[in-house]
Amino acid sequence: MGATVFTTPAAAVADIGNDTSIAVGGFGLCGIPDELIRALAESGVNNLEIFSNNCGVDEHGLGILLSAGRIRRVVASYVGENKEFARQYLSGELEVELTPQGTLAERLRAGGAGIPAFYTPAGVGTPVADGGLPWRYAADGTIAVASPPKETRTFGGNSYVLETGITADYALVHAAVGDTAGNLVFEKSALNFNPLAAMAGRITIAQVENLVPAGTLDPAQVHLPGVFVQRIVHTGTQNKQIEKRTVTVEEGSNR
């Protein structure tokens, strides 16, 4: 049984409605499902909860949805270069659960694997475990919603904090190659968070640069099996973006 192949990104996300939770793959602007995000923004969907390493940058990736005021809550590990993200968070317009990057990755993997919770040493002895992190600010700058304390236990003389797995209503991911059975191959840094986000979605939608018939891919080269992917759409070669360009000027140059 293969994934359902859609002809356009808009058709692939057409049933995503308001108040939906979505896991989104990519790292910075690398390997982000940009065409699916753009189609989602054009659909007018609102009040979203997003699970993603970061929230794009101004006017790119998830930053498009953020700038339009479509996101209610973000679970992420990195604010990054997105000034609108910081503005909305500090002004109380956006709820943000900042999570250690490795913990976020494992929470997504655990949710996709059917593991409800796990213990990790990351965050022990900090507000991550003790609670009190500002999830949402009030308009006057006070903390309106703070993170709750988490259970901690000792194993082998070391302390660990309990973290819960993440599952989302949908997942949006980008892959270099996919087949009509939903098997995906990711390229280089796009392996960061795309497979994990795909696992966490109850309905996973993949945009792929190259779509090939089922049976074409060498099984040993598949990074994510099609069992985790329900929908796939061919979007062609991605227009790569650079989050922050830094250029070294040659010594003695007048440029």
Side-chain angles (χ1 to χ4, degrees), residues 107-177:
R107 289 182 67 190
L108 290 165
R109 190 201 69 82
I115 299 170
F118 59 92
Y119 286 96
T120 175
V124 171
T126 76
V128 170
D130 300 339
L133 285 173
W135 279 1
R136 181 185 287 275
Y137 285 101
D140 62 2
T142 60
I143 298 175
V145 180
S147 65
K150 298 173 182 177
E151 177 188 336
T152 58
R153 288 185 62 182
T154 300
F155 298 93
N158 297 311
S159 296
Y160 298 83
V161 59
L162 184 69
E163 295 282 358
T164 57
I166 291 173
T167 54
D169 299 321
Y170 291 84
L172 307 181
V173 299
H174 171 90
V177 185

Side-chain angles (χ1 to χ4, degrees), residues 55-232:
C55 210
V57 301
D58 300 298
E59 304 308 323
H60 287 294
L62 286 170
I64 297 172
L65 289 168
L66 191 70
S67 297
R70 309 285 183 78
I71 300 177
R72 172 186 62 83
R73 189 174 194 272
V74 176
V75 179
S77 69
Y78 178 59
V79 175
E81 304 294 328
N82 195 322
K83 295 179 181 178
E84 179 62 13
F85 186 112
R87 188 199 69 77
Q88 288 189 23
Y89 174 45
L90 295 175
S91 65
E93 299 172 28
L94 179 69
E95 186 170 305
V96 178
E97 181 182 343
L98 289 174
T99 304
Q101 193 168 79
T103 300
L104 177 61
E106 182 63 10
R107 289 182 67 190
L108 290 165
R109 190 201 69 82
I115 299 170
F118 59 92
Y119 286 96
T120 175
V124 171
T126 76
V128 170
D130 300 339
L133 285 173
W135 279 1
R136 181 185 287 275
Y137 285 101
D140 62 2
T142 60
I143 298 175
V145 180
S147 65
K150 298 173 182 177
E151 177 188 336
T152 58
R153 288 185 62 182
T154 300
F155 298 93
N158 297 311
S159 296
Y160 298 83
V161 59
L162 184 69
E163 295 282 358
T164 57
I166 291 173
T167 54
D169 299 321
Y170 291 84
L172 307 181
V173 299
H174 171 90
V177 185
D179 68 17
T180 52
N183 299 300
L184 302 181
V185 177
F186 303 97
E187 187 172 279
K188 299 176 182 177
S189 295
L191 270 165
N192 287 311
F193 285 97
N194 268 305
L196 303 172
M199 291 175 66
R202 296 184 181 92
I203 297 176
T204 293
I205 308 170
Q207 67 170 61
V208 298
E209 296 190 39
N210 298 289
L211 181 63
V212 298
T216 303
L217 297 175
D218 178 352
Q221 302 303 313
V222 171
H223 293 129
L224 185 79
V227 67
F228 291 110
V229 179
Q230 285 71 47
R231 303 176 188 175
I232 196 164

Side-chain angles (χ1 to χ4, degrees), residues 2-57:
T4 301
V5 178
F6 285 77
T7 56
T8 66
V13 302
D15 63 336
I16 299 180
N18 296 338
D19 307 303
T20 299
S21 62
I22 307 175
V24 181
F27 191 82
L29 293 180
C30 178
I32 61 172
D34 54 347
E35 295 296 333
L36 293 172
I37 292 170
R38 188 174 295 109
L40 199 61
E42 292 172 355
S43 76
V45 69
N46 199 12
N47 209 38
L48 300 173
E49 180 177 21
I50 300 295
F51 303 101
S52 181
N53 180 58
N54 60 293
C55 210
V57 301

